[in-house]
Amino acid sequence: MIGSSLSPSRLLNGERAVVMLFIGCIFFSLPVSLLLHGVVLSAVSLLSLCVELRAESSSSSLSQFKTRPGASSGIFLGAVTLPAVMLSKLIQLSRAFSLHQIEFEELNYLSMQYWATSASCFSVLIFLCWIMWHSNGSVHHAQHKAWDVIFSLSCIVLCATILILSGSGMQTAELLWVIVHGFVAVKLVQHLLDTFPSCASIGEAFMVTIGLVIYFGDMLACTTAKFDGYWVSSKAVLVESEIRRSEISTVIQGLLLGLLLFPVIFKFVLHMWECFYCGTNFGAGACSERGKALLFFASLGLIMVLIVPSWMQFVQNFQVHPFLWVITYVFSEPLKRLSLCIYWVSVIYVSVLRFYSISKSSKIERILLRKYYHLMAVLMFLPAVIFQPKFLDLALGAALAVFLTLEIIRVWRIWPLGQLIHQFMNAFTDHRDSDLLIVSHFSLLLGCALPIWMSSGYNDRPLAPFAGILSLGIGDTMASMVGYKYGVLRWSKSGKKTIEGTAAGITSVLAACSVLLPILASAGYIFTQHWVSLLLAVIVSGLLEAYTAQLDNAFIPLVFYSLLCL
């Protein structure tokens, strides 16, 4: 079916070529001890490429999912990104282990997370395969049937391969723990695509789903490991979760889990409220507006002040309420941290006030206006990464929690702020956002935050925490501005990205690195970044920005970070 509907030039488009180059760089850097992990990544890559080709060769294959208009399926990029990030981090930790700079438990736990990530990706890919076979069940052409047989057998063989490889050396309970991630990922990606139609491509939903499953699977591992006497298997399976875990990471995980689960809880509470209270005591208007708002803020306060901190104290053994610990932490270095907070608030206030008025009165292109916020991220985060990295971890988690809270209020139209927030956010949206869900500000914040969070443990690459700031704040911004004003030569006939813009983005990142490295050296960082990995990271991420139709804020920083770690 693929060969009959796609020309050779479309089989290997720009985005797929860049992803293959990205995977090839990781394979080239693999040590012998991680060859088995590389085989699994190659299996995931091959299957995801086949699924993407199959999906894009037939418009009805995955038509039951309403994806973001104007975006390709993105299955190949979405499926390989997180396993590649995990494998790059494993390569980095394997260097540290060989030098006796980390314990075996830390390396082993990350390896366990890699297997869980790969199993989750494979499970979602098999789920997409099943949907496509079911939707094409009425096709009876001989060439189509022959392809279906070959494709089905390939999926079965690859699925068996990954299960055998991931299960080698694992105990039964550990293998079960890995497989459970796959089942949860399938249900979550289906729920995400059904609940938020036209808000994301399949590849974007793919990566978000796998990221949430792995992140909160880590929380579950940390929690169950505390039940020594109650969960006999947890001590054997999840003992690796006892590796160094900071109070800040626990606070961030608790906040995010509570806010992500809150809409589900509030929906249930609201249903009970409407059934047993509103219908008898108040009119429909009071129930839908002020009563709903009162219930919303009361439920949110209960969860965030009582339930979530209780989990934090159970996991981390805080001596005081976790939020009191946060206040104490901030005031432990009041001059530095409070000054930084005042600086952040001032930058945000001036920028938002200025750009909001411009968006209302000016004819400046929306894409250029949004790039100013990328530059604002550089101004805010760059000094903090150098001088207050731990405090920045906490601040980024708090900012993400605020964004989630505001988005929940906007989506539910909670009185009196819901409509005001919706009108304000509409001034900064573009074609990738919708009235149902606005994701651009989330992707920018996470694109800057994830490399910083992932570098909070062992890190022998001083530029790795700056991956999001460099690729989005500088590279992506310069590529857009130069390409819009001076770009003539386009990468493709149908695309808007220009060669001049890409060259400007790559050059600006290299120039920023040449300035940043001496500053890091003067601040006490040891220069261990290889120029080969730096050049590859800048070039590959720049080409990905030029070719991808996905939400580049989400993918480019992770690709950049992965290649910096090699």
Side-chain angles (χ1 to χ4, degrees):
M1 183 181 296
I2 292 177
S4 62
S5 57
L6 287 178
S7 62
S9 61
R10 293 186 62 191
L11 283 174
L12 190 62
N13 59 25
E15 180 178 295
R16 294 175 191 140
V18 174
V19 176
M20 289 181 181
L21 178 61
F22 169 51
I23 298 298
C25 294
I26 295 177
F27 286 160
F28 184 77
S29 303
L30 276 178
V32 177
S33 59
L34 296 177
L35 285 180
L36 187 62
H37 299 71
V39 172
V40 173
L41 179 59
S42 65
V44 173
S45 303
L46 179 60
L47 180 57
S48 60
L49 178 60
C50 293
V51 172
E52 178 173 290
L53 292 172
R54 175 72 181 276
E56 295 185 359
S57 66
S58 174
S59 59
S60 62
S61 295
L62 297 173
S63 58
Q64 73 178 70
F65 298 125
K66 294 181 180 180
T67 58
R68 180 165 59 83
S72 59
S73 67
I75 296 173
F76 186 29
L77 177 61
V80 304
T81 298
L82 286 182
V85 172
M86 289 286 187
L87 189 53
S88 297
K89 191 66 177 177
L90 274 172
I91 294 173
Q92 185 182 45
L93 290 188
S94 66
R95 293 196 302 266
F97 180 70
S98 64
L99 297 175
H100 307 288
Q101 295 178 333
I102 64 169
E103 300 295 331
F104 175 74
E105 287 77 14
E106 188 171 352
L107 180 65
N108 193 33
Y109 184 58
L110 183 61
S111 179
M112 187 96 165
Q113 287 187 312
Y114 173 78
W115 295 125
T117 303
S118 301
S120 301
C121 291
F122 219 102
S123 299
V124 175
L125 289 171
I126 294 299
F127 168 69
L128 296 177
C129 289
W130 180 85
I131 292 178
M132 290 189 293
W133 298 333
H134 183 73
S135 63
N136 294 331
S138 58
V139 178
H140 298 289
H141 298 295
Q143 57 181 353
H144 291 177
K145 290 183 66 177
W147 164 249
D148 285 341
V149 171
I150 295 174
F151 190 76
S152 302
L153 290 176
S154 300
C155 287
I156 293 172
V157 170
L158 285 171
C159 184
T161 301
I162 195 171
L163 288 177
I164 292 173
L165 291 174
S166 64
S168 59
M170 290 187 187
Q171 299 178 1
T172 303
E174 292 174 331
L175 182 58
L176 179 62
W177 176 256
V178 169
I179 294 175
V180 165
H181 280 74
F183 287 109
V184 175
V186 169
K187 298 300 293 182
L188 186 56
V189 74
Q190 188 176 13
H191 176 75
L192 187 65
L193 290 170
D194 290 339
T195 306
F196 302 105
S198 303
C199 292
S201 68
I202 295 178
E204 292 162 359
F206 204 125
M207 193 180 72
V208 171
T209 297
I210 304 303
L212 289 175
V213 169
I214 299 303
Y215 189 62
F216 294 119
D218 175 71
M219 292 184 63
L220 181 60
C222 179
T223 304
T224 55
K226 292 291 182 177
F227 291 96
D228 296 334
Y230 301 100
W231 296 77
V232 178
S233 62
S234 68
K235 191 68 174 178
V237 178
L238 306 172
V239 68
E240 294 89 352
S241 66
E242 298 289 348
I243 61 175
R244 293 186 298 270
R245 185 181 300 273
S246 68
E247 292 88 350
I248 292 177
S249 64
T250 302
V251 170
I252 294 173
Q253 282 185 318
L255 280 175
L256 298 185
L257 178 64
L259 288 172
L260 289 172
L261 292 181
F262 174 72
V264 179
I265 299 172
F266 178 65
K267 186 177 181 180
F268 172 77
V269 173
L270 185 62
H271 176 73
M272 300 297 294
W273 169 277
E274 291 174 346
C275 289
F276 296 104
Y277 195 73
C278 287
T280 57
N281 289 24
F282 293 99
C287 180
S288 61
E289 293 293 335
R290 299 186 180 181
K292 178 181 175 181
L294 178 63
L295 189 65
F296 176 88
F297 290 111
S299 303
L300 182 63
L302 178 65
I303 291 175
M304 302 309 296
V305 176
L306 183 61
I307 299 177
V308 167
S310 298
W311 175 84
M312 296 177 188
Q313 287 184 309
F314 174 75
V315 171
Q316 193 66 38
N317 297 322
F318 285 95
Q319 299 301 316
V320 296
H321 193 283
F323 292 156
L324 291 178
W325 181 92
V326 170
I327 295 174
T328 304
Y329 176 79
V330 173
F331 281 93
S332 62
E333 295 184 22
L335 181 61
K336 294 180 180 180
R337 292 170 182 169
L338 289 180
S339 300
L340 198 56
C341 290
I342 295 173
Y343 169 70
W344 286 339
V345 172
S346 301
V347 172
I348 292 173
Y349 177 77
V350 172
S351 301
V352 170
L353 192 65
R354 175 61 177 164
F355 296 151
Y356 183 73
S357 61
I358 291 177
S359 68
K360 290 297 185 180
S361 60
S362 176
K363 295 182 179 180
I364 295 178
E365 283 286 331
R366 187 65 58 89
I367 184 64
L368 293 181
L369 184 62
R370 288 160 56 83
K371 296 306 176 183
Y372 289 123
Y373 281 94
H374 289 222
L375 293 176
M376 187 182 76
V378 176
L379 293 176
M380 291 179 60
F381 301 146
L382 190 60
V385 176
I386 299 175
F387 301 109
Q388 283 287 319
K390 295 298 181 182
F391 180 59
L392 181 60
D393 289 348
L394 181 62
L396 288 171
L400 185 57
V402 171
F403 279 6
L404 281 172
T405 304
L406 294 177
E407 185 66 10
I408 293 171
I409 293 174
R410 188 195 68 83
V411 170
W412 285 86
R413 296 294 196 273
I414 301 299
W415 179 88
L417 300 175
Q419 189 60 33
L420 294 176
I421 295 173
H422 177 71
Q423 293 174 354
F424 178 80
M425 293 301 299
N426 273 343
F428 307 103
T429 58
D430 64 5
H431 63 281
R432 295 172 297 186
D433 296 308
S434 66
D435 287 340
L436 183 60
L437 196 65
I438 298 177
V439 298
S440 296
H441 55 300
F442 285 105
S443 63
L444 176 59
L445 181 63
L446 283 173
C448 294
L450 286 176
I452 297 172
W453 287 341
M454 289 186 293
S455 302
S456 58
Y458 174 82
N459 178 44
D460 61 348
R461 296 291 186 258
L463 288 178
F466 300 88
I469 299 172
L470 291 171
S471 60
L472 297 181
I474 297 177
D476 187 34
T477 301
M478 292 302 298
S480 296
M481 291 183 173
V482 173
Y484 176 78
K485 293 185 177 181
Y486 307 107
V488 176
L489 302 175
R490 301 189 183 277
W491 285 103
S492 62
K493 295 180 180 179
S494 59
K496 297 181 179 180
K497 304 297 178 65
T498 64
I499 296 177
E500 294 89 347
T502 301
I506 292 174
T507 304
S508 63
V509 173
L510 290 175
C513 292
S514 65
V515 174
L516 185 59
L517 286 173
I519 296 176
L520 292 175
S522 64
Y525 290 87
I526 301 176
F527 177 69
T528 57
Q529 185 71 56
H530 292 290
W531 281 103
V532 175
S533 63
L534 176 59
L535 286 173
L536 283 173
V538 175
I539 293 172
V540 173
S541 60
L543 291 175
L544 182 63
E545 190 276 335
Y547 277 115
T548 186
Q550 306 302 304
L551 191 60
D552 50 7
N553 289 358
F555 291 98
I556 292 175
L558 293 179
V559 171
F560 193 31
Y561 172 83
S562 300
L563 295 177
L564 285 176
C565 291
L566 300 181

